[in-house]
Amino acid sequence: QVKLVESGGGWAQPGGSLRLSCVASGFTFNNYAMAWARQVPGKGLEWVSGIFSDGKGTTYADSVKGRFTISRDNAKNTVFLQMNNLKPEDAALYYCAKGSYSRGVRETDYWGQGTEVTVSS
């Protein structure tokens, strides 16, 4: 069974940084794109970032461009989201997601349980 386990969430001040990790199992990790999305209570799911299976292509939502960086370590079946210059509007439950094919950064089929990020003064 596909399994995605996020970690690294917590509290940060505006302008601070956090690094999220997602460890994957149950599929051939280096054959699939990966993505991050987030959810705020009362709002829908917002796509945040994605990365191609080989790690050479990345893409970001306009709201996080220039502040967040997605990366992956295929030898460790892990995808990361480095979040810098955090803003209060970044506070959300962050999910790791598996793409449905090698470049499926917006077409996902499995999700983790999420890790909570809080940003406040």
Side-chain angles (χ1 to χ4, degrees), residues 11-101:
W11 174 85
Q13 293 184 322
S17 297
L18 289 170
R19 189 179 78 154
L20 308 184
S21 299
C22 172
V23 178
S25 61
F27 64 100
T28 305
F29 183 75
N30 63 6
N31 285 350
Y32 294 93
M34 297 295 293
W36 289 93
R38 64 189 183 187
Q39 187 173 39
V40 177
K43 298 183 179 180
L45 201 64
E46 179 188 17
W47 178 87
V48 173
S49 184
I51 185 167
F52 289 172
S53 61
D54 61 5
K56 294 185 177 182
T58 60
T59 185
Y60 301 90
D62 287 344
S63 58
V64 307
K65 196 171 299 180
R67 301 187 297 117
F68 290 11
T69 302
I70 190 171
S71 61
R72 64 193 294 162
D73 185 342
N74 283 350
K76 297 181 178 179
N77 284 7
T78 303
V79 62
F80 305 94
L81 186 68
Q82 178 67 47
M83 306 187 296
N84 296 329
N85 192 23
L86 284 162
K87 302 178 182 297
E89 53 263 43
D90 295 321
L93 182 63
Y94 282 73
Y95 294 97
C96 173
K98 171 189 172 290
S100 59
Y101 67 105

Side-chain angles (χ1 to χ4, degrees), residues 31-33 98-110:
N31 285 350
Y32 294 93
K98 171 189 172 290
S100 59
Y101 67 105
S102 63
R103 295 188 175 187
V105 293
R106 293 180 184 266
E107 295 143 313
T108 57
D109 49 15
Y110 291 94

